[in-house]
Amino acid sequence: MSHQLTIEPLGQVLEVEDGQTILDASLRAGIYLPHACCHGLCATCKIRVTDGEIDHGEASTFALMDYERDEGQALACCATLQSDVTIEAEIEEEPDAQNLPVEDFEGTISRIENLTPTIKGVWIELDKPMTFQAGQYVRLHMPGEAAPRAFSIASAPRQAGEIELNVRIVPGGKTTGWVHQQLKAGDTVKLSGPYGRFFVRESAHRQEKLAYLFLAGGSGLSSPRSMILDLLAQGCDRPIVLVNGARSPDELYHHDEFLALARQHPNFTYVAAVSGDAPDWPGAKGFVHEAAKAHFNNDFRGHKAYLCGPPLMIDACITTLMQGRLFERDIYTEKFISAADAQQVRSPLFKKI
């Protein structure tokens, strides 16, 4: 049994299957609703129900308080329809967003490589090409687990038939443990995508004549790599700088590829930084934000910055960028929020990022 969902202010009407959440139905129709944790804990996907009946599902009473429920508010990631429903949602106009519908895919693992001691490269040949924007991610389903795990796509959009994921093993993580210890070439996997609003704001770069700055750490390199490969393939001639950090030289991956790209493209600069003890390391030393500050002499004006990595790295980079006269409108990042992380307070200054 299905019900109709009307999304205002768009006036668009969707058919929603029994048990399907409002968020899932919207994303599969190519309508982006702001969201983050997808566990009913962070309140990013809060909407208002103006007509009809819903089930709030597992929405946390901290993220959605009783008085908010009485006022008709709901969390799109948990709410399911009990009748035809009309909602009011915060729909952001984003000129560079392609608003691609989320689809389900099956894929075959074509190869797996050890990129670093803690990160594996996983290449998946899909049953049909996936159209995505560089910087977006997929949700990979582990057999026997209800909740899929999000991984950024590390390959360029032009490789639509085979995607690359870079998976860092997380202590105690079921899905990353499965990828590192059990998954092998020839296995079949299920995934869905594309998800996310982390992509290059190309129209602003063109109109304002701004350069590109990418700051990455660990497996957070995935999205910037996809973006940079896409920009260079398009013939972008504006300055592009990648500052990539790791604790040790053996944790830097795709390092030779970026060195080669820097030799091939005069507008691309690659800064690799190591924060741990590495006396023989010839490159930059320190954390990502420190290497960026030194490279730009603490002046980031004229750039848009794209940040991807651990939360502490992102917070340090935001502070450094703002001290170097780059502000909210020119800083973009996307943090994957787990059920545990979602209970932490998010900065209201960067709530749209």
Side-chain angles (χ1 to χ4, degrees):
M1 181 179 178
S2 65
H3 296 290
Q4 287 191 334
L5 172 66
T6 302
I7 301 178
E8 299 293 356
L10 299 178
Q12 193 157 341
V13 180
L14 313 179
E15 286 292 326
V16 182
E17 298 299 321
D18 187 37
Q20 186 180 23
T21 67
I22 290 173
L23 178 61
D24 185 65
S26 301
L27 294 177
R28 289 178 181 275
I31 299 172
Y32 180 82
L33 300 184
H35 61 282
C37 76
C38 295
H39 298 292
L41 293 168
C42 73
T44 305
C45 64
K46 195 173 289 183
I47 56 170
R48 183 178 297 278
V49 178
T50 59
D51 187 51
E53 300 294 327
I54 64 159
D55 183 333
H56 286 285
E58 298 182 358
S60 163
T61 54
F62 294 98
L64 188 69
M65 297 183 180
D66 289 341
Y67 78 89
E68 293 177 305
R69 299 172 193 237
D70 294 340
E71 292 175 349
Q73 296 188 64
L75 301 184
C77 72
C78 297
T80 55
L81 306 192
Q82 303 297 299
S83 69
D84 290 347
V85 167
T86 300
I87 66 168
E88 289 182 353
E90 187 177 317
I91 307 294
E92 297 179 356
E93 291 292 331
E94 179 56 69
D96 295 294
Q98 294 181 16
N99 296 318
L100 301 167
V102 169
E103 297 182 63
D104 294 318
F105 296 83
E106 283 196 357
T108 302
I109 304 298
S110 52
R111 60 189 170 112
I112 298 180
E113 294 182 6
N114 292 322
L115 299 179
T116 79
T118 60
I119 298 173
K120 283 188 181 289
V122 180
W123 284 262
I124 305 174
E125 187 174 339
L126 302 173
D127 60 344
K128 57 186 175 183
M130 177 187 293
T131 302
F132 65 93
Q133 286 187 264
Q136 290 191 293
Y137 65 93
V138 297
R139 288 179 176 154
L140 181 66
H141 296 258
M142 173 184 169
E145 287 292 315
R149 177 75 163 81
F151 295 103
S152 295
I153 304 172
S155 45
R158 284 166 173 73
Q159 300 168 250
E162 182 184 58
I163 61 171
E164 176 188 345
L165 308 180
N166 302 152
V167 181
R168 181 178 68 86
I169 190 163
V170 177
K174 290 184 178 179
T175 302
T176 61
W178 165 64
V179 170
H180 274 252
Q181 298 160 14
Q182 299 180 42
L183 201 62
K184 60 186 185 299
D187 286 352
T188 300
V189 294
K190 293 184 178 181
L191 61 152
S192 57
Y195 294 94
R197 295 289 256 198
F198 189 52
F199 50 82
V200 172
R201 271 57 180 185
E202 293 186 35
S203 59
H205 284 276
R206 289 194 301 269
Q207 293 167 9
E208 302 174 43
K209 299 181 179 179
L210 299 175
Y212 301 84
L213 172 58
F214 297 93
L215 305 179
S219 59
L221 180 62
S222 300
S223 293
R225 178 176 183 258
S226 180
M227 293 168 160
I228 290 167
L229 292 176
D230 193 40
L231 286 170
L232 295 176
Q234 292 177 39
C236 172
D237 57 4
R238 292 200 177 281
I240 302 170
V241 177
L242 167 64
V243 183
N244 180 36
R247 289 188 181 91
S248 61
D250 65 351
E251 287 289 347
L252 289 170
Y253 66 99
H254 290 315
H255 180 66
D256 291 339
E257 175 189 50
F258 286 118
L259 289 174
L261 288 172
R263 290 192 295 268
Q264 296 166 15
H265 301 274
N267 63 313
F268 175 59
T269 301
Y270 173 50
V271 179
V274 171
S275 60
D277 184 26
D280 297 328
W281 172 247
K285 294 185 179 180
F287 295 105
V288 173
H289 67 284
E290 295 170 329
K293 182 177 181 178
H295 181 79
F296 286 95
N297 196 27
N298 199 33
D299 186 351
F300 300 100
R301 289 174 296 176
H303 292 80
K304 278 191 179 291
Y306 301 87
L307 285 55
C308 200
L312 287 176
M313 185 216 91
I314 289 178
D315 292 342
C317 287
I318 288 173
T319 299
T320 298
L321 291 171
M322 294 185 75
Q323 289 172 345
R325 305 181 70 177
L326 197 68
F327 301 106
E328 180 188 3
R329 65 183 294 272
D330 292 318
I331 301 173
Y332 299 93
T333 182
E334 183 172 63
K335 298 179 184 178
F336 293 141
I337 300 179
S338 68
D341 295 334
Q343 299 182 63
Q344 300 178 7
V345 177
R346 302 175 69 213
S347 167
L349 178 62
F350 284 88
K351 67 180 182 178
K352 76 167 188 165
I353 295 180

